[in-house]
Amino acid sequence: MSAVTTRARSRIGLGRWLLPTYVVVAFVLLLIPIAYTFVFSFNDANRSNISWNGFTLDNWLGVCSQPDVCMAFGNSLLVGGAATLIATVLGTMIAIALVRYRFPARGAISLLLFLPMATPEVVMGAGLAAQFLTAGVPKGLGTIIIAHAMFCLSFVVVTVRARVLSLDPALEEAGRDLYGSPTQVFWRVTFPLLLPGIVAAALLSFSLSFDDFIITYFTSGTTQTFPVYVYVAAQRGIPPQANVIASAVFFLAIAAVLVFQVVSARHAARRR
């Protein structure tokens, strides 16, 4: 019995150490590229930013000394904001219609909305490029925004649809019983309840659009977004200013998550 107990304890002990070790190793491997990007944003680089030449703050103080970097970053912000706005508005309306109304081909539309999420980006990017070429539309910021809005639309519909399904119809009925018009019920009852799902869908759309490279590469023409600029610059060495922007975006995202968690915790404490 003692030998069996010793073996069982050794297996339990191995299991207790194996999973934490795996988690630590996985996080280290994921954070190494981020740490490399942050460290080399302070590199005193000359022509390339591959080898360490010395510490400097000039890259952070003069981030737009490489004008192409800031232009590409501005294009990414413009495309991400416009595509997010279009996809969020249309996706919210589609999600409400799919849940609350019955109409012909409703099931087929629900199925088709999942296809962009399952289609490889290479196929989607090549198809959109062929469509723009056939229609005679010149590639640029406009085509990038259209392409990003199209593939972000499915993610918005799926996210908001889940929120609509979780709503209690009795709340809207109570608003109508209190003589509220359909517009008043929507803006004062339905929309506030849908707002967390809409915000989550918008943030997901912006992150997908800002980070996209493959579809953008097929539909951008001569216009460069930040991911396309980084891809082209990587062949000769990414300038440290690009590392500065990437590090700043990373830390801003972390700060936004922390602020959201603090605000949510305070709201939960007040409710209790």
Side-chain angles (χ1 to χ4, degrees):
M1 292 294 293
S2 60
V4 175
T5 304
T6 303
R7 292 178 182 177
R9 289 180 178 177
S10 63
R11 291 177 182 177
I12 295 174
L14 181 61
R16 291 180 58 186
W17 284 103
L18 186 60
L19 182 59
T21 303
Y22 171 77
V23 172
V24 171
V25 171
F27 269 101
V28 169
L29 292 176
L30 289 174
L31 292 176
I32 285 177
I34 299 175
Y36 176 89
T37 300
F38 178 70
V39 170
F40 273 76
S41 67
F42 297 97
N43 185 26
D44 188 12
N46 295 323
R47 294 184 178 180
S48 65
N49 195 27
I50 300 176
S51 59
W52 181 261
N53 296 321
F55 180 85
T56 181
L57 291 175
D58 294 339
N59 301 325
W60 284 82
L61 299 178
V63 64
C64 287
S65 59
Q66 290 281 344
D68 293 341
V69 177
C70 289
M71 184 178 297
F73 181 69
N75 289 337
S76 290
L77 292 178
L78 176 61
V79 170
T84 299
L85 180 61
I86 296 171
T88 303
V89 173
L90 295 179
T92 301
M93 293 189 294
I94 294 173
I96 295 174
L98 289 175
V99 175
R100 295 295 177 84
Y101 299 97
R102 299 290 185 270
F103 51 88
R106 175 171 170 265
I109 293 175
S110 299
L111 178 62
L112 290 174
L113 285 171
F114 284 94
L115 290 181
M117 301 174 62
T119 303
E121 290 191 1
V122 173
V123 176
M124 184 179 295
L128 288 172
Q131 292 296 321
F132 290 138
L133 180 63
T134 303
V137 179
K139 296 179 182 179
L141 280 176
T143 55
I144 301 175
I145 292 173
I146 294 173
H148 284 205
M150 290 180 64
F151 79 81
C152 288
L153 184 64
S154 298
F155 293 92
V156 174
V157 173
V158 171
T159 305
V160 179
R161 184 174 181 269
R163 183 65 180 177
V164 177
L165 288 171
S166 66
L167 295 184
D168 187 0
L171 297 175
E172 295 175 313
E173 293 177 2
R176 288 190 289 268
D177 291 340
L178 294 173
Y179 303 102
S181 65
T183 303
Q184 291 174 330
V185 171
F186 176 80
W187 288 112
R188 296 188 180 184
V189 179
T190 307
F191 183 76
L193 295 174
L194 292 179
L195 189 59
I198 295 174
V199 172
L203 293 176
L204 177 62
S205 297
F206 183 82
S207 62
L208 290 172
S209 174
F210 184 86
D211 190 53
D212 181 78
F213 165 75
I214 299 178
I215 296 177
T216 305
Y217 189 78
F218 278 98
T219 60
S220 60
T222 58
T223 303
Q224 281 191 335
T225 59
F226 189 68
V228 174
Y229 175 83
V230 171
Y231 171 77
V232 175
Q235 300 176 3
R236 60 180 184 276
I238 300 174
Q241 289 79 8
N243 290 13
V244 171
I245 293 177
S247 301
V249 170
F250 174 76
F251 287 115
L252 286 176
I254 295 297
V257 172
L258 293 177
V259 170
F260 178 77
Q261 293 294 333
V262 171
V263 173
S264 299
R266 288 183 178 179
H267 281 296
R270 290 177 181 177
R271 291 176 181 175
R272 293 176 183 174

